[in-house]
Structure formats: C-alpha cells, structure tokens
Amino acid sequence: MENKRINGNDLLAIGYKENHAMGVALKINKKRLGFTREQMLANFKEVLTDPNEFLTDEVFKPLAEVLLLQDSIMDECIPLRDESLAYRVFGEEHIEAGARKQMDIAMRLPVTVTGALMPDAHQGYGLPIGGVLATDNAVIPYGVGVDIGCRMALSVFDIPATYIEEYKDRLEALIMKHTRFGAGNGYLKHERVDHSVLDSSVFESNAFVRALKDKAWTQLGSSGGGNHFVEFGVMEFADSDPALGVEKGKYLALLTHSGSRGLGATIAGHYTKLAKQLCKLPYQAENLAYLDLNSAEGQEYWLAMNLAGDYASACHEVIHDKIRLALGAALLTKIENHHNFAWKEQYNGTEVIVHRKGATPAGKGVMGIIPGSMATPGFLVRGKGEVAAVNSASHGAGRLMSRTQAIKTLSAMELKMMLADNGVRLLGAGMDEAPMAYKDIHTVMAAQTGLVDVVATFLPKIVRMADDGSRED
C-alpha cells in the first residue's frame, strides 16, 4: 500500500478540486522524490491549506503557484456547458465508466453539436476511443487522435482459401519480406519507394510539415507498433455481393491495420500543444482543446491532418501492392476505411465536423472493416446510415484491459493454445495484444446490428505484428 500510486480520487478526498492544481500535483507525484505515499499526501494537504508557505519550496513551488493563481486561471478558461448534451451509447453495459465520463465532458464543449459512443469504447485521452463527436466549425486534435488516419485495408484475391494451408510457408515469407514493423522503424534509402503523396503541396506550404518529409518517405509502406498488423486470412462470403462483384465462396485475403506513423504522431503532438495554448479549457476538458476552422491554425491543422490521412492510405497501398505482385494474384475487390479522423458532414441540414476517434464511418452504403483480434473474426460491413450513431460504427473489438494489465496477468500458454485452436501462425506481437485483452467481438457486433450489415467474415491465419513491444507511433 505504501507505494500505491496516488490518483485524482485520493486528491479529491483531501480537498483538491478537479482543476489545474490537481494536474500539477499528479505530475509532482510521478517523481515521488523519496516520499512514501502517506508522506506525499500529507505534503499535498499542507500545500493546499497554506500555499504561501511553499512558494520557495523546491518540490512544491509549482503547485503552490497554481493554487494561488487558480481563480485567474479559471477566469481565462472557456466555460463548458452546465450539462452534457444527450447522446446515444451502443452496448452500454460493456463500456467502462471512464469512457462514459470522458464522453460526458466532450458533450459539454460549447462547440459540440451531437455525439455517440460505440460499443467498443474505452478510455483514451480527451475523447474516448470509440467516441464520435460532431462540432460546429471546430476541430479537436485529440478528438482525431495521435495516429491520424489510422485505417484498415482489405484485399480479396482471386485465389481459393485452401491456398493458405497448402502454401503457409510461402505466405509467411511474403509477409516477412514485404512488411516492416516497430515504432520508429522504416526503410533505408535504397529500399524506399516513391508515391504521389510525397508531392503534396502541404509539404511546401507548411514549414513544420516540410521538416517531416524525409521521415515520411523513410517510413512509407511500414506498419509501426502496437496493435498494427498485416494478416493473411480466409475471407468468406456466405452470399454473393453484386455491388462488390464477388461471388459466394471462401477466398485468400490480406488485411492490414496501421496509420500515419511518425508523420501523423508529430503533427498531432504539435497541433494539440498549439490548441491548448489558444483554447484554454477547464482542467477536466483540456485535452479537448479545439481550433477554429476560420483561424490560420485551424486551417493549418486541417490540411496537415488530411495529408496524414492520405499518407496512411499510401502506406497501405504500398504494402498491398508489394504483396499482391509478389503473390501474382488478381484483385476481386479492395476496401479501406480510416477511423482516427475528422470529416465535414451534414447533420440536420448543417455542416458539422465529425470526429471519429476509433470509430468506423458507417453512412448508408459505406463499406468498412471491423477487425476482432489475432485469433478472432473480423467483419466486412456495409453502413446503414444511423443518425443516432452519427453514421458510425465500432472500429474493432475494443480493449478489455490495459496493455500493462494484459502483460502482467495473461497467460502465454493460454495464448499459444488459442492460436493453435484457431490455426493461426503468429509472427511477433506481445501479450498486450493477446485476444483475451480485448472485448468479445461477437458481443460488440451484436450491439450494432442497427448500424451495419455484415457482408463477409475474415478469419486471420498468418498474423504479423511488431515483436519489440513498441507502441503505435
């Protein structure tokens, strides 16, 4: 108990309020500085009682200053609505309280028009993952997320699914040769490929983005870390789909999940910091700082965000083209969608900015891909255009436990048995990506039958992920 981490509830219990002073206290606590938990709480109580006594204290001076300035800080803040706007929650019984609290705060922003929470939702930074938020002429960098334009891409080949078992070693070799994983990893100069996305005018018009061009070229066609993957699997169409031109049957398919790599992460970090400087919000909402699209900064971010989205798409295109050519296959159909982005859309006859942070676009007739995990099915879906969901659906199964919790508690033997039972060959990945760390995909899909129709099912068989324990970048 002595070293148990101090959290916001502990500070509330000794008299702190949910404001900027709490944030400073939690930052100080991260260092611990040789104090026990009880000693640190006692110190925090003393600073709160008489901050003037700590204005020269090496450790607690920043906290004392914020406490003394708290009233003026609040005067500078843009006030939130007193009450959250109403919003729909899909699969409510399976969503953690932290995600609901974050969504409640997002629905109090003065620029918020409407929103919804998807059944795979879990707590994130600012807007929860699985959160959909429509705003009035404002874009929230953390409402888009750090991995801008992260997306799914699916290629269904004119090759029967039986090919997987017959040529598993060949398919494994293809994935290993034509993909690259790990945060920060990319390609050497002689390995790089060209793509028209690198000719974007945004690289020339924005000096900050221009400095990222070489990194973008280096990482073009790579997949990063975290939950990003490249998979061969069985694509089963239980019925023919005339719109896609695919007959009933089982086919070899390639499914990829990754985003805009270092380019997107750096853009997100820069413009989130800028938004927080320009848009002062109360402490509980500060990660929802927004940029007015009529401002120069808002337009800069909007163009940079769209570039990152195009870049993420280009990375998938490079991977799919390399593997398809090496395989010598023809395409039956190719589908892709992104789920960390903001779009200009119509809501009740008015243009709004729809943020989908870990949510799949599901307008009427819009195709999307909702993956499960490395050993559970994914689904090719067609959107129904449900207004209450802001034309959205889940982007996957959603995490059931944190990465740290998964690593500490899940059994490697159980994972090995699950992979064997499902005939999955895993290349890389750690226990933080084990299927048991995720919600049950079938439960998630059952909660959104009103949002999408399932067109086909994907069963992963050869899965490559980062093997260095790296997070998404």
Side-chain angles (χ1 to χ4, degrees):
M1 177 64 73
E2 184 177 274
N3 292 316
K4 183 183 175 184
R5 196 176 199 174
I6 292 171
N7 59 35
N9 289 331
D10 297 318
L11 295 176
L12 289 171
I14 61 173
Y16 279 79
K17 295 180 181 178
E18 200 169 356
N19 54 28
H20 291 85
M22 177 182 285
V24 173
L26 290 173
K27 285 180 181 178
I28 291 173
N29 178 64
K30 280 185 179 179
K31 303 172 185 177
R32 190 53 65 89
L33 304 164
F35 294 109
T36 66
R37 184 177 190 276
E38 289 70 23
Q39 289 171 335
M40 187 62 91
L41 283 171
N43 284 323
F44 283 147
K45 179 69 175 176
E46 288 184 35
V47 181
L48 180 63
T49 302
D50 190 357
N52 285 298
E53 285 295 311
F54 291 83
L55 286 175
T56 58
D57 188 282
E58 185 177 342
V59 174
F60 296 101
K61 178 182 177 182
L63 177 58
E65 290 176 339
V66 169
L67 284 166
L68 291 169
L69 292 172
Q70 190 59 49
D71 288 342
S72 61
I73 291 173
M74 288 305 297
D75 288 341
E76 293 177 6
C77 285
I78 298 168
L80 302 179
R81 288 186 169 100
D82 292 335
E83 300 289 337
S84 298
L85 295 179
Y87 63 96
R88 280 288 300 276
V89 181
F90 296 86
E92 185 169 7
E93 63 273 23
H94 303 293
I95 295 176
E96 63 189 4
R100 284 298 307 268
K101 182 179 179 182
Q102 286 185 319
M103 196 68 198
D104 288 345
I105 293 169
M107 297 303 292
R108 291 176 59 196
L109 291 177
V111 294
T112 292
V113 176
T114 189
L117 205 54
M118 299 299 104
D120 61 336
H122 55 96
Q123 191 168 338
Y125 289 95
L127 195 64
I129 292 125
V132 182
L133 192 73
T135 58
D136 179 13
N137 202 48
V139 63
I140 305 167
Y142 256 171
V144 169
V146 174
D147 192 8
I148 300 172
C150 186
R151 66 181 54 216
M152 305 297 305
L154 171 72
S155 289
V156 182
F157 300 117
D158 65 340
I159 295 175
T162 53
Y163 188 94
I164 296 179
E165 290 306 319
E166 295 173 15
Y167 297 99
K168 217 163 194 175
D169 290 342
R170 182 187 181 221
L171 294 176
E172 178 181 329
L174 284 179
I175 282 185
M176 294 302 294
K177 181 178 180 181
H178 296 294
T179 63
R180 192 150 299 180
F181 281 80
N185 287 349
Y187 292 94
L188 300 174
K189 278 195 173 181
H190 71 278
E191 300 174 310
R192 297 180 189 178
V193 296
D194 288 315
H195 192 282
S196 59
V197 73
L198 298 172
D199 299 325
S200 170
S201 61
V202 181
F203 281 117
E204 302 308 317
S205 61
N206 184 323
F208 171 75
V209 175
R210 186 187 312 133
L212 303 175
K213 186 171 182 178
D214 192 63
K215 175 185 279 190
W217 189 21
T218 298
Q219 296 185 334
L220 182 64
S222 60
S223 300
N227 61 359
H228 295 158
F229 59 74
V230 176
E231 302 175 342
F232 275 119
V234 175
M235 197 82 213
E236 180 175 3
F237 285 78
D239 297 296
S240 297
D241 192 287
L244 294 178
V246 179
E247 297 295 324
K248 174 181 177 180
K250 296 182 180 181
Y251 304 92
L252 171 68
L254 179 73
L255 182 63
T256 54
H257 173 222
S258 56
S260 49
R261 299 300 321 275
L263 172 71
T266 309
I267 288 171
H270 175 77
Y271 286 98
T272 294
K273 183 177 180 181
L274 185 60
K276 286 182 176 181
Q277 292 170 355
L278 297 174
C279 177
K280 302 287 187 182
L281 291 172
Y283 171 72
Q284 66 268 39
E286 62 182 2
N287 283 331
L288 293 167
Y290 50 87
L291 296 168
D292 188 323
L293 282 179
N294 288 333
S295 69
E297 295 82 4
Q299 281 299 306
E300 267 188 26
Y301 173 76
W302 187 260
L303 292 173
M305 178 199 73
N306 275 279
L307 170 62
D310 292 341
Y311 175 80
S313 180
C315 285
H316 285 273
E317 184 182 333
V318 169
I319 295 168
H320 282 247
D321 284 352
K322 280 182 177 181
I323 292 178
R324 178 180 56 79
L325 290 170
L327 189 59
L331 273 178
L332 290 179
T333 190
K334 187 177 180 184
I335 305 291
E336 67 174 297
N337 68 266
H338 40 329
H339 48 240
N340 281 4
F341 211 64
W343 292 259
K344 292 181 178 179
E345 297 181 8
Q346 292 291 312
Y347 179 77
N348 286 343
T350 303
E351 184 179 86
V352 292
I353 307 303
V354 178
H355 304 74
R356 292 186 177 93
K357 187 179 184 183
T360 299
K364 191 167 182 60
V366 173
M367 302 302 298
I369 304 132
I370 301 176
S373 69
M374 63 175 70
T376 57
F379 300 90
L380 177 61
V381 299
R382 183 173 282 118
K384 292 186 174 182
E386 174 55 56
V387 175
V390 200
N391 292 324
S392 306
S394 83
H395 82 311
R399 292 200 74 90
L400 186 61
M401 58 180 71
S402 70
R403 295 179 183 280
T404 302
Q405 185 183 0
I407 292 168
K408 286 182 177 179
T409 62
L410 296 181
S411 161
M413 182 57 68
E414 185 182 353
L415 171 60
K416 186 176 180 180
M417 291 174 61
M418 182 178 288
L419 293 172
D421 289 344
N422 289 278
V424 176
R425 186 177 292 184
L426 179 61
L427 314 172
M431 290 306 300
D432 56 330
E433 286 302 320
M436 304 85 79
Y438 286 85
K439 296 179 183 179
D440 175 43
I441 187 61
H442 299 289
T443 302
V444 169
M445 295 303 295
Q448 55 186 346
T449 54
L451 311 184
V452 293
D453 286 319
V454 174
V455 174
T457 303
F458 177 86
L459 294 174
K461 294 299 178 184
I462 302 173
V463 179
R464 185 176 187 195
M465 305 183 80
D467 58 5
D468 59 358
S470 60
R471 299 285 292 275
E472 299 99 325
D473 64 344

